Amino acid sequence: GENVEQHPSTLSVQEGDSAVIKCTYSDSASNYFPWYKQELGKGPQLIIDIRSNVGEKKDQRIAVTLNKTAKHFSLHITETQPEDSAVYFCAARNYGQNFVFGPGTRLSVLP
Amino acid sequence: DTAVSQTPKYLVTQMGNDKSIKCEQNLGHDTMYWYKQDSKKFLKIMFSYNNKELIINETVPNRFSPKSPDKAHLNLHINSLELGDSAVYFCASSQGPTSGIEQFFGPGTRLTVL
């Protein structure tokens, strides 16, 4: 089955700096890769996703890149703000299969 | 309007008791899920229902029994609660069970078994 690894487990950055979180997956058939943000006491919320036929996707300060050959994908947050502080999860999914989530990255943006 | 709602938000109970968590979505989605998030924040799927039919049942003790009375509701009943059941349980829904479909999560139910 699919296995998703995520690094780092914790990340602290200064406000205004960039943050990068990396994930690797094991199942080459996986074709959908979402990123979720979980704030304290809340459920995960989708912030960006990418499908296997695309190499990069950007939405304002957030971007995701996908390298299918190497089976890894990354989340990039630029100009970080204190409200970006949260736990971020990557996930991978193949058609008809369940989502497999990475273990999460706790991002702290220091003012 | 809350898209995916769960009740209760907090549940504290004694070992051996039976409890239920309710989930409702008003998004018109066909597929609903239950996830368990442990103390290390690891999210793992437990069940998935599509149009009231069970389509995913991960390795979960049979003390856990999901019930979907209609497409908008997926409840989780837990018998003979154990200490290890303490976790946050999230309900989620999506338009369908196929890949590339966003999942919408509820706010979670924090279950504490004493």
Side-chain angles (χ1 to χ4, degrees):
Chain A
E2 176 65 276
N3 182 48
V4 177
E5 296 184 355
Q6 184 172 346
H7 300 280
S9 56
T10 59
L11 179 60
S12 293
V13 299
Q14 290 294 134
E15 184 177 355
D17 287 350
S18 295
V20 180
I21 303 170
K22 298 181 180 181
C23 285
T24 60
Y25 61 99
S26 60
D27 186 354
S28 56
S30 288
N31 56 12
Y32 176 63
F33 308 92
W35 284 90
Y36 283 83
K37 175 184 181 183
Q38 185 178 18
E39 297 176 333
L40 193 62
K42 296 183 179 179
Q45 184 176 16
L46 181 76
I47 55 172
I48 195 166
D49 57 11
I50 192 166
R51 287 163 174 75
S52 58
N53 58 349
V54 175
E56 184 174 357
K57 184 176 178 180
K58 192 172 180 182
D59 183 4
Q60 299 182 344
R61 297 186 297 109
I62 295 174
V64 56
T65 57
L66 171 64
N67 183 328
K68 282 172 52 182
T69 304
K71 288 189 281 188
H72 66 70
F73 56 112
S74 300
L75 177 70
H76 305 253
I77 305 174
T78 58
E79 300 171 25
T80 52
Q81 300 166 3
E83 51 266 36
D84 294 330
S85 295
V87 179
Y88 290 81
F89 293 95
C90 62
R93 187 182 193 184
N94 184 14
Y95 180 90
Q97 303 298 313
N98 51 290
F99 281 86
V100 177
F101 283 82
T105 296
R106 185 176 298 278
L107 173 65
S108 299
V109 179
L110 309 173
Chain B
D1 252 356
T2 305
V4 182
S5 59
Q6 295 177 229
T7 53
K9 188 166 176 63
Y10 300 97
L11 186 52
V12 181
T13 188
Q14 297 288 331
M15 210 164 49
N17 284 350
D18 303 338
K19 290 294 178 186
S20 291
I21 307 172
K22 295 186 176 181
C23 178
E24 177 182 1
Q25 54 95 2
N26 61 6
L27 298 166
H29 288 166
D30 288 337
T31 308
M32 296 184 71
Y33 312 81
W34 276 110
Y35 284 86
K36 179 179 180 180
Q37 186 173 48
D38 61 25
S39 58
K40 295 184 179 179
K41 294 289 189 182
F42 192 67
L43 261 174
K44 188 167 170 59
I45 193 164
M46 300 172 69
F47 301 101
S48 173
Y49 269 71
N50 185 55
N51 279 324
K52 303 194 301 174
E53 299 289 328
L54 179 66
I55 57 171
I56 290 174
N57 183 358
E58 292 295 310
T59 308
V60 176
N62 56 15
R63 298 182 294 103
F64 290 79
S65 52
K67 289 221 172 17
S68 182
D70 54 59
K71 277 188 354 178
H73 296 84
L74 181 62
N75 303 323
L76 184 65
H77 188 76
I78 315 170
N79 289 328
S80 304
L81 278 156
E82 300 177 358
L83 294 176
D85 297 333
S86 295
V88 181
Y89 292 84
F90 287 101
C91 176
S93 74
S94 65
Q95 202 167 14
T98 59
S99 183
I101 301 293
E102 178 182 356
Q103 290 192 353
F104 293 81
F105 283 80
T109 295
R110 182 175 293 277
L111 171 65
T112 303
V113 182
L114 303 175

